[in-house]
Amino acid sequence: MSRDAQSLFIEYLQPKKDANILILEGGDGWLAIQLARLVPDGRILSLSRDIRDIMTAQIRLEDVATADASQAVFPHSTGWDIVLLTIPKERRFARTLLLAAWDALKPGGQLLLAGPSKGGAKAVIKDAERLFGNAATLGYRSHQRVALCIRGESLINPLPKEFQQPGIAPGTKHFIQVDKREFSFKLETHPGIFSWQELDEGTSLLLDHITIEPGWRVWDIGCGYGVIGIFAALTGAAFVSMSDINLVAVDYAKKNVITNHLDNKIEIFAADTLSNPQNSPDNRLRYELIISNPAFHQGRPVDKSMADQLIRQAPQYLTSRGRLLIVANRFLNYQKFMRTHFTHVSTIATTSKFQVIEAYNH
């Protein structure tokens, strides 16, 4: 989360001392702490889709009486004086947050949004201008910009075209159909989740090479909207854990598990990689198979930290006959690092872009 963008809010915001401020994509609590000094008689609520940020923010705000961080992505209350939006990278997800900001604000309320000028901020500000009917750029700093919109009495009807896509427009849903082997199932998806518009090629390859024996316990790490874990449950797993750091993903994975009538054998929770709050380190559940399509970048530089943590910690969560199965881009040489933690590592499938790698210690 960009401190530069959030600093612009502090520089240009002039709230009343009793203002109620909602922060979308609020990050780790830093911004909420700064705002608490500006609105000593008001209320501040910080929301985020990243469970790591929320947990950090909740700790940092423990002693701040007027500020809190909630495990939610979209607001559940209305009548806010000010909404602050740190602009996310995904433009379609930003549109869902702009609609949420409109609903959350009281008429005449202010939306301030800030982000990198070359990272999509100009486009999202343009979207906000179409939705709100106004947008004024307040300033720039460190290649970041901040803009202000004022909420009117009623939402524009019909919505601008870019807000009419299923999954973005209020009351609409977006689905994908998965057909693998003899199994066919439908999944609801949403902007802000990896590959929300269609099943990605890497996951599709992984599904083609999963073998589940009856009675196995399986953990799908970085589950997204739930496709791998649901497929594992359909193909014979007795019990499946699914986890993700993204609360939007966790929410839709839960919906899809219920819709596909698998809630009796699948648990879902928000967690950072192999952190499992439902199993203590000394009494952790062990699995016959851990599966993942790990994220490998969070920006332009390649970031393999999630995969490295997964590979390093997986052995302690596997049974004596357990296996780790991951899919990755072919240019990522995970095999070398995997051999420092597993006695057997092999590539079991490849395409021009992806590889499926299996590792075990037996």
Side-chain angles (χ1 to χ4, degrees), residues 27-29 32 44-48 53-59 61 67-72:
D28 62 7
I44 300 159
L45 179 63
S46 181
L47 307 182
S48 174
D53 281 343
I54 293 171
M55 294 176 70
T56 300
Q58 288 177 334
I59 293 171
L61 296 172
D68 194 14
S70 175
Q71 289 195 22

Side-chain angles (χ1 to χ4, degrees), residues 56-187:
T56 300
Q58 288 177 334
I59 293 171
R60 298 179 78 169
L61 296 172
E62 280 181 344
D63 298 325
V64 183
T66 58
D68 194 14
S70 175
Q71 289 195 22
V73 181
F74 301 102
H76 298 297
S77 56
T78 59
W80 293 88
D81 300 306
I82 299 169
V83 172
L84 305 180
L85 170 59
T86 307
I87 297 172
K89 295 176 183 177
E90 311 98 312
R91 188 175 181 183
R92 289 182 177 86
F93 178 57
R95 289 170 181 162
T96 68
L97 293 174
L98 289 173
L99 285 164
W102 173 277
D103 287 338
L105 282 166
K106 67 181 184 182
Q110 299 180 354
L111 166 67
L112 277 77
L113 55 165
S117 298
K118 293 184 178 180
K122 289 188 286 187
V124 173
I125 291 170
K126 182 61 68 176
D127 287 342
E129 182 177 19
R130 294 190 185 102
L131 185 67
F132 280 73
N134 62 86
T137 298
L138 301 179
Y140 310 87
R141 191 178 66 200
S142 302
H143 307 290
Q144 311 281 324
R145 63 179 59 210
V146 59
L148 169 68
C149 300
I150 305 298
R151 185 197 188 280
E153 289 290 335
S154 58
L155 190 61
I156 187 171
N157 186 22
L159 287 173
K161 184 177 180 180
E162 56 267 40
F163 289 89
Q164 295 180 18
Q165 182 177 355
I168 296 177
T172 65
K173 298 180 180 181
H174 182 273
F175 294 91
I176 65 169
Q177 182 71 31
V178 180
D179 298 298
K180 283 292 180 181
R181 305 180 196 176
E182 70 271 31
F183 300 97
S184 179
F185 52 100
K186 184 183 289 187
L187 301 174

Side-chain angles (χ1 to χ4, degrees), residues 319-331:
T319 67
S320 60
R321 304 293 295 176
R323 297 180 298 139
L324 171 66
L325 194 66
I326 68 172
V327 63
N329 285 64
R330 286 190 64 176
F331 71 84

